[in-house]
Amino acid sequence: MELLVSAAEILARWDVVLALLVGSVGGVLIGAIPGVGPAVAIAILLPATFSMEPIVGLTVLLGIYGSSMYGGAIPAILINTPGTAVNALTTYDGFPMTARGEARRALSLAYSASFFGGVFSVVCLILFAPVLARIAPMFGSREIFLAALLGLILVVIAHRGQTLIAAALAFFGVFLNTVGLEPVKYSKRYTFDQSWLSSGVDLIVVVLGLFALSQAFYLLQGDDEKVRLTPLRGGLFQGLRELSRHPRVAGVAGSFGVVMGMIPGVGEFTAQFMSYTYAQRSSKRPEDFGHGSSEGLIAAETSNNAVPAAAMVPLLALGIPGEALTAMMLSVFYVHNVVPGPQLFQNDMPFVVALYLALLVLNVLVLIFLLSATGHLVKVVKIPNRFLGVAILTLSFVGVYSLRNSFTDCLIAACFGVFGFVLKRLSLPAVPIILGMVLGGIMEVKLRAGMARVKTPLDFIDRPIAMILFLMILGVLALHIRYVLSERRKLKEAKWSARKRSTRFGMQMFRRRDYLSTERGKKVREKRSKYVPRSTGPRSPR
């Protein structure tokens, strides 16, 4: 109880309350604009948060992170265009409801499901906070290194179908982190006698280039689309009543979101599809899924909004981000010399609980805002793409220059912006680069610290948690190799069956030709020709 009171006192400050309001409202607006997304907004705001206190800066970023998915459901339901990438599954059942004239019902149901997922996740993690506080001190340098390595492997494996390119981009991020002065002896690495490389490649510069500038280029090269909005009819509060009729779907979807959010590199997409698949298989009317099913919409929105709070667990407990957005938040900790990890849970537990309470209050504020302002909020989807592109471009360069007042940083950001634009056009992921930079730095420092007491390779995993993490790495790699081999076997079987069918058809034609050339075949042809006379004139069109 004393812990909750201390955390509430931290949130009761006027600047924290203002940060909650700005983050919640701003996140909804950003999420409702197709083509922007929370990554771009957080990348632009990141330099400004460095001058704030940690709790204020993180509250703003958490507000945008947690509320953008609420706003992303608006264009997904109304115009079949997801506001954020994770709202893609919302279009499956949300837009068919709009086509039936039930747009307001779909929006209300999406808001209610998102609210339940967010609150469910925060409550679970507040209850588990004492357990995490006991487990976190058991992690030393070797355990954190293995956990970071596991996170990097999971991030790579999560990009199925693009595993090799994701691994290459992740190691490119690790390489970028090695440029400049190394952290122990401060010797130069990969600077090639260039003074501007001595300070290394800044993470924020890369983030702004890969996410913000690349998105600006993408919006500027496209055409502005005319959007027609469907009139909203009905009450927005009916979604809360409808959600109460499907507690099982909402509870399971929230649980999937919590579990998947705590695993680095997995995130919203896996939680969504697992929840959606479960809801469809357990439904009494599975044929409605994809055609306006309320259960499908609940599963999609509940699971993706349960992830943000859970994604903070590896960040706070181990200092290991699981995705690009939490990697950006990690830089706010470092700027203020607040090191997330086991010591944070031991020495500043009220700060951790305050962050979770901020997420809880955030969900309440967002729901109130959406229920009262949806009629006006839907108009933001009409903002032209090129106007958005120019605004993002301007704000991004201002943010990059404000970091170190360096024109060189602007050029580096522009180069990464072009690189990110190329990745977007090729449908390749940019997230592994950011996580490679962050996790690569953690792995290097922890490996050097852990090797001081290691004499043989087995000494590195001689502790229980280290052994568990090592076995998990082996298990994940084994499962992925099994998956790759099974996919190759299926592909080979498909090619063989297609070849077999074509060969069988050829043999049938060959046998028919041989049969017709025999004496019996000639008699059959002569008999048929009596009843089907050959046409001597031109063929009539069919």
Side-chain angles (χ1 to χ4, degrees):
M1 191 64 185
E2 293 180 1
L3 189 61
L4 289 175
V5 172
S6 301
E9 289 176 353
I10 295 175
L11 290 181
R13 293 165 37 186
W14 69 269
D15 51 353
V16 179
V17 174
L18 181 62
L20 273 172
L21 290 172
V22 172
S24 58
V25 175
V28 171
L29 293 173
I30 289 162
I33 302 173
V36 181
V40 176
I42 290 176
I44 293 173
L45 288 175
L46 205 55
T49 59
F50 291 161
S51 60
M52 305 175 185
E53 292 186 27
I55 185 65
V56 179
L58 286 170
T59 299
V60 173
L61 300 183
L62 277 175
I64 294 172
Y65 181 26
S67 62
S68 60
M69 298 173 196
Y70 281 87
I74 294 174
I77 290 171
L78 295 181
I79 60 174
N80 202 25
T81 303
T84 67
V86 298
N87 292 110
L89 201 60
T90 308
T91 61
Y92 286 17
D93 295 288
F95 185 70
M97 287 186 180
T98 301
R100 295 200 305 254
E102 301 175 354
R104 190 174 286 268
R105 175 197 169 207
L107 287 173
S108 176
L109 195 57
Y111 299 159
S112 305
S114 298
F115 175 75
F116 176 82
V119 172
F120 179 83
S121 177
V122 174
V123 170
C124 286
L125 297 172
I126 289 177
L127 294 176
F128 293 152
V131 179
L132 294 173
R134 294 176 186 173
I135 296 175
M138 300 179 185
F139 280 77
S141 299
R142 286 173 275 178
E143 286 81 6
I144 293 178
F145 168 79
L146 291 171
L149 180 60
L150 177 61
L152 194 63
I153 292 172
L154 288 172
V155 168
V156 172
I157 291 176
H159 296 85
R160 290 193 172 181
Q162 297 178 322
T163 306
L164 291 179
I165 189 65
L169 293 172
F171 284 108
F172 176 62
V174 174
F175 167 74
L176 288 176
N177 185 72
T178 63
V179 176
L181 299 176
E182 54 96 7
V184 178
K185 297 182 179 180
Y186 297 102
S187 58
K188 294 182 179 180
R189 299 184 297 191
Y190 306 111
T191 58
F192 306 104
D193 293 327
Q194 300 293 319
S195 59
W196 58 277
L197 283 175
S198 298
S199 57
V201 181
D202 192 85
L203 173 65
I204 309 306
V205 174
V206 178
V207 166
L208 282 164
L210 286 177
F211 290 94
L213 290 178
S214 65
Q215 187 64 32
F217 297 152
Y218 188 81
L219 292 172
L220 288 171
Q221 61 88 34
D223 296 328
D224 293 330
E225 298 180 0
K226 294 183 178 179
V227 177
R228 293 183 179 181
L229 294 176
T230 304
L232 300 180
R233 300 173 184 173
L236 279 172
F237 290 93
Q238 63 182 357
L240 293 170
R241 295 191 298 269
E242 192 167 359
L243 179 68
S244 62
R245 300 173 194 161
H246 305 284
R248 175 182 49 81
V249 175
V252 172
S255 302
F256 275 126
V258 171
V259 174
M260 295 299 125
M262 288 191 289
I263 302 174
V266 179
E268 295 91 350
F269 291 103
T270 306
Q272 273 187 317
F273 282 100
M274 291 178 72
S275 304
Y276 194 85
T277 303
Y278 167 79
Q280 186 174 18
R281 289 181 178 177
S282 61
S283 175
K284 296 179 180 179
R285 303 183 62 180
E287 67 278 1
D288 291 346
F289 280 69
H291 303 284
S293 170
S294 58
E295 292 178 274
L297 188 58
I298 290 171
E301 285 296 303
T302 302
S303 56
N304 65 22
N305 275 269
V307 170
M312 297 297 291
V313 171
L315 178 69
L316 295 173
L318 304 175
I320 297 173
E323 56 181 354
L325 299 177
T326 49
M328 297 179 202
M329 294 180 196
L330 185 62
S331 61
V332 179
F333 284 97
Y334 287 157
V335 165
H336 295 283
N337 294 322
V338 179
V339 181
Q343 297 299 321
L344 185 64
F345 274 79
Q346 280 185 311
N347 303 330
D348 204 355
M349 194 62 186
F351 177 82
V352 176
V353 178
L355 287 177
Y356 286 129
L357 287 179
L359 279 170
L360 189 63
V361 176
L362 166 75
N363 283 280
V364 177
L365 291 175
V366 171
L367 184 65
I368 294 172
F369 174 68
L370 286 171
L371 292 178
S372 59
T374 295
H376 302 286
L377 191 61
V378 295
K379 296 178 182 178
V380 300
V381 301
K382 292 186 175 182
I383 298 177
N385 289 342
R386 292 181 180 178
F387 175 81
L388 286 174
V390 172
I392 293 171
L393 198 67
T394 305
L395 293 172
S396 300
F397 277 120
V398 169
V400 171
Y401 188 78
S402 66
L403 287 173
R404 295 185 290 195
N405 296 329
S406 172
F407 185 70
T408 304
D409 286 346
C410 295
L411 292 178
I412 295 174
C415 292
F416 277 102
V418 174
F419 183 54
F421 175 73
V422 172
L423 292 178
K424 282 182 182 290
R425 294 303 300 266
L426 296 176
S427 299
L428 298 177
V431 174
I433 299 176
I434 304 300
L435 293 178
M437 291 186 69
V438 175
L439 296 177
I442 295 172
M443 290 166 62
E444 181 182 5
V445 173
K446 298 302 179 183
L447 180 62
R448 286 189 171 188
M451 290 299 291
R453 299 180 181 178
V454 173
K455 296 181 180 179
T456 64
L458 291 178
D459 291 342
F460 204 84
I461 54 174
D462 61 351
R463 292 192 289 200
I465 294 181
M467 177 61 75
I468 292 171
L469 290 170
F470 180 71
L471 293 176
M472 288 176 67
I473 291 173
L474 293 181
V476 167
L477 291 175
L479 289 174
H480 181 67
I481 292 171
R482 179 184 175 185
Y483 168 77
V484 171
L485 293 177
S486 65
E487 289 295 314
R488 286 186 178 180
R489 186 173 64 253
K490 290 178 183 178
L491 182 62
K492 189 180 292 185
E493 290 175 356
K495 287 182 178 180
W496 173 252
S497 61
R499 185 178 177 183
K500 194 174 181 180
R501 284 196 299 269
S502 62
T503 305
R504 186 182 302 167
F505 177 75
M507 290 298 293
Q508 288 176 351
M509 295 299 294
F510 182 75
R511 290 170 182 170
R512 184 171 181 271
R513 187 179 62 186
D514 286 351
Y515 170 74
L516 292 176
S517 63
T518 60
E519 291 296 329
R520 186 176 179 183
K522 289 179 181 179
K523 292 180 180 179
V524 171
R525 280 193 299 171
E526 290 175 0
K527 190 175 181 180
R528 287 181 179 176
S529 62
K530 295 179 181 179
Y531 300 99
V532 186
R534 294 183 179 179
S535 175
T536 56
R539 293 183 179 180
S540 59
R542 293 184 179 179

